[in-house]
Amino acid sequence: RATSSSDPRVRSSSRHTRHGETSHNKNGILQGQLDTALNDTGLRQAQRLGARLLKRKLEMPLSNTAYSSDLGRAAVTGRIVLEALGSDALIVCDARLRERHLGPFQGLSEAQASEVHSTKWVRFISGREAEGVETTPQVVQRAVAALTEIADKNLGRTVLVFSHGGFIHCALSTLTPGRVPHIANCSISELRFFRTGQSTSWTAAERGEGDHVPSGSSSAGKNVDVPVGVPGSNG
């Protein structure tokens, strides 16, 4: 919601986008914090995302700084989008924007993970702590810290943030009320940040909008990176 001239709050808007598709996404391999590259579909998705954002009107000017997870699939998506926008914004890579660390499950399919690490897998998919796997509270802690810092540094501006499906899901479900949909590759979620002195609040103007993602893409529907229902795990 917009602030009026008498509203004492200051605000910023952050457009969060998940990286484009990778071969691991396509093949149902759990990525977590593995540093994987975009496949051809992912590169095209990033270009489509840039074209979509170029057509959008901004309530606040675009920041001259964009932010990305330091994993290559997010950073490359960011560079492609900024090029499409004709922007010379600096991309700041921040490890706090990474996907959830999936420990022993990374690089395996769900079937392989459940077979090789059966006890840990059962604990994980039931929402309990599993040795070597980052917990939901740990993801939430770094997400809230990073996004609040980014929002404060960009008051009065729109800032682009390139990260991961599980990370974005955690941020939306923690900072705003309401159901969070599947976060498809290169979908857009908009968070609005408000500050009055030491008081802060967030609203979600958009959640996982992906009309620009080709309907034939595996990323337009369910993209199995980690089990459905486990927050912060979409890859």
Side-chain angles (χ1 to χ4, degrees):
R1 95 188 126 166
T3 54
S4 69
S5 58
S6 60
D7 193 330
R9 301 178 301 174
V10 290
R11 69 185 178 98
S12 61
S13 171
S14 50
R15 299 280 175 89
H16 295 263
T17 65
R18 183 186 177 193
H19 60 82
E21 185 184 85
T22 69
S23 293
H24 274 26
N25 285 149
K26 183 177 180 179
N27 296 322
I29 303 299
L30 309 181
Q31 293 180 110
Q33 293 188 6
L34 293 180
D35 199 2
T36 56
L38 300 184
N39 60 18
D40 289 343
T41 297
L43 293 170
R44 290 193 296 271
Q45 289 171 339
Q47 292 166 350
R48 285 174 176 263
L49 172 61
R52 180 60 174 262
L53 290 173
L54 187 62
K55 295 177 181 179
R56 291 195 167 195
K57 293 182 179 180
L58 301 178
E59 292 183 25
M60 294 174 284
L62 190 65
S63 173
N64 58 8
T65 303
Y67 297 83
S68 173
S69 157
D70 62 345
L71 297 177
R73 58 190 184 271
V76 170
T77 299
R79 288 197 291 270
I80 292 172
V81 168
L82 290 176
E83 182 178 350
L85 293 175
S87 170
D88 58 359
L90 171 71
I91 296 183
V92 174
C93 290
D94 189 333
R96 293 177 297 175
L97 302 177
R98 285 185 176 193
E99 184 57 285
R100 178 201 290 259
H101 195 290
L102 294 177
F105 309 140
Q106 296 184 166
L108 303 177
S109 67
E110 288 190 32
Q112 290 170 331
S114 65
E115 180 179 352
V116 177
H117 303 286
S118 57
T119 301
K120 291 181 181 179
W121 183 255
V122 169
R123 291 185 63 85
F124 177 57
I125 63 175
S126 63
R128 293 177 289 168
E129 290 188 19
E131 183 181 357
V133 179
E134 190 175 13
T135 66
T136 297
Q138 288 171 332
V139 179
V140 167
Q141 182 179 32
R142 61 179 169 89
V144 172
L147 298 184
T148 301
E149 181 180 311
I150 289 170
D152 267 330
K153 286 181 176 179
N154 292 276
L155 294 173
R157 295 187 177 275
T158 298
V159 61
L160 300 180
V161 181
F162 302 94
S163 59
H164 306 267
F167 179 92
I168 295 170
H169 191 286
C170 257
L172 287 170
S173 59
T174 300
L175 297 172
T176 65
R179 176 183 172 275
V180 180
H182 169 70
I183 305 298
N185 291 106
C186 282
S187 61
I188 304 169
S189 300
E190 182 182 357
L191 279 171
R192 293 176 180 171
F193 172 80
F194 300 85
R195 174 175 289 284
T196 307
Q198 296 301 309
S199 176
T200 63
S201 61
W202 298 81
T203 62
E206 197 166 36
R207 299 167 182 263
E209 190 280 313
D211 289 346
H212 52 285
V213 179
S215 58
S217 166
S218 64
S219 304
K222 178 174 176 284
N223 211 353
V224 183
D225 296 325
V226 291
V228 174
V230 177
S233 305
N234 282 359

